[in-house]
Amino acid sequence: MLLDLSEEHKEHLAFLPQVDSAVVAEFGRIAVEFLRRGSNPKIYEGAARKLNVSSDTIQHGVEGLTYLLTESSKLMISELDFQDSVFVLGFSEELNRLLLQLYLDNRKEIRTILNELTPRLPSYHSLEWRLDVQLASRSLRQQIKPSVTVKLHLDQNGDHSTHLLQTDPATLLHLVQQLEQALEEMKTSHCRRVVRSIK
């Protein structure tokens, strides 16, 4: 699978051939730090003074490199696909090898960082349910009023939580139909492409 880089990203990466390979390696280190700790304008300003360019140019170069490394790591593309993706940028063979080495050295760490950044959502643990039917009351002797009580147990980061829900059967049936429709939607090719790009 090849990376599809926009023109903006290509412009940001176009600065890399103008600098030494040691500087590109340092940009790779800054890109990984950028993922860990966020943006640091002081680093960009210091590098801009040393290279006699604007700090925006440095920032765009690091952000372009960060995007290249994160997208490659997220999709776990092979060495060959990475080389083919970078080849379209028109860089020298030495720079292509350096970028490949940066990717190979940092992809596990980048995947770990990206995994830590994903929000931890509650997950299903168990479900208890009960059907109650009120057949009569003091004022109405023949009345059928069903209700479904659901006790939902969830896990989130090792903590257990319980949610008590009560509804009538018609609403529950509508909820089941909507969930089944959502599951059917997940089987479409469009949804599979979206899910693949998220992973």
Side-chain angles (χ1 to χ4, degrees), residues 9-29:
H9 289 113
K10 289 177 183 176
E11 287 173 20
H12 290 174
L13 292 170
F15 174 69
L16 296 179
Q18 301 170 15
V19 295
D20 195 319
S21 59
V23 174
V24 175
E26 182 64 17
F27 280 4
R29 187 192 64 75

Side-chain angles (χ1 to χ4, degrees), residues 14 46 54 71 95 104 119 122 130 161 164 169 171 189:
S54 71
E71 288 301 307
L95 183 55
L104 294 176
R130 183 180 75 219
S161 61
L164 196 61
T171 305
S189 60

Side-chain angles (χ1 to χ4, degrees), residues 3-192:
L3 284 179
D4 185 26
L5 298 172
S6 68
E7 290 303 316
E8 182 182 14
H9 289 113
K10 289 177 183 176
E11 287 173 20
H12 290 174
L13 292 170
F15 174 69
L16 296 179
Q18 301 170 15
V19 295
D20 195 319
S21 59
V23 174
V24 175
E26 182 64 17
F27 280 4
R29 187 192 64 75
I30 293 170
V32 175
E33 284 297 313
F34 173 76
L35 283 174
R36 266 195 226 116
R37 296 192 176 92
S39 181
N40 187 350
K42 291 180 182 177
I43 293 176
Y44 302 142
E45 291 167 6
R49 276 194 299 273
K50 289 178 186 174
L51 297 173
N52 289 329
V53 293
S54 71
S55 63
D56 284 343
T57 305
I58 300 293
Q59 183 175 355
H60 291 316
V62 170
E63 288 173 355
L65 191 55
T66 303
Y67 178 80
L68 178 69
L69 294 173
T70 54
E71 288 301 307
S72 303
S73 300
K74 193 187 307 180
L75 299 172
M76 284 298 285
I77 63 174
S78 66
E79 292 180 35
L80 185 63
D81 287 341
F82 184 85
Q83 287 174 328
D84 290 343
S85 298
V86 174
F87 181 76
V88 298
L89 297 172
F91 294 160
S92 67
E93 190 64 36
E94 179 189 355
L95 183 55
N96 287 347
R97 277 196 307 272
L98 181 61
L99 290 174
L100 175 64
Q101 195 58 46
L102 272 172
Y103 167 62
L104 294 176
D105 292 344
N106 295 304
R107 68 178 167 188
K108 287 183 182 174
E109 183 178 359
I110 290 171
R111 282 188 65 83
T112 303
I113 292 169
L114 292 176
N115 193 25
E116 290 169 0
L117 293 175
T118 57
R120 298 282 184 246
L121 300 174
S123 62
Y124 170 83
H125 182 263
S126 66
L127 178 85
E128 300 173 37
W129 63 274
R130 183 180 75 219
L131 176 64
D132 294 322
V133 180
Q134 183 178 353
L135 297 175
S137 67
R138 288 184 184 172
S139 58
L140 292 172
R141 293 192 181 223
Q142 292 187 351
Q143 164 192 6
I144 297 177
K145 187 178 176 186
S147 68
V148 179
T149 305
V150 177
K151 194 174 193 181
L152 181 63
H153 300 276
L154 301 174
D155 287 337
Q156 184 172 15
N157 299 331
D159 296 332
H160 300 291
S161 61
T162 303
H163 300 277
L164 196 61
L165 310 167
Q166 189 170 22
T167 184
D168 61 293
T171 305
L172 185 62
L173 184 62
H174 177 70
L175 179 65
V176 168
Q177 289 171 344
Q178 291 298 311
L179 290 172
E180 286 175 347
Q181 184 180 351
L183 286 173
E184 285 300 315
E185 179 105 7
M186 285 300 294
K187 294 177 183 175
T188 64
S189 60
H190 174 70
C191 283
R192 283 192 303 238

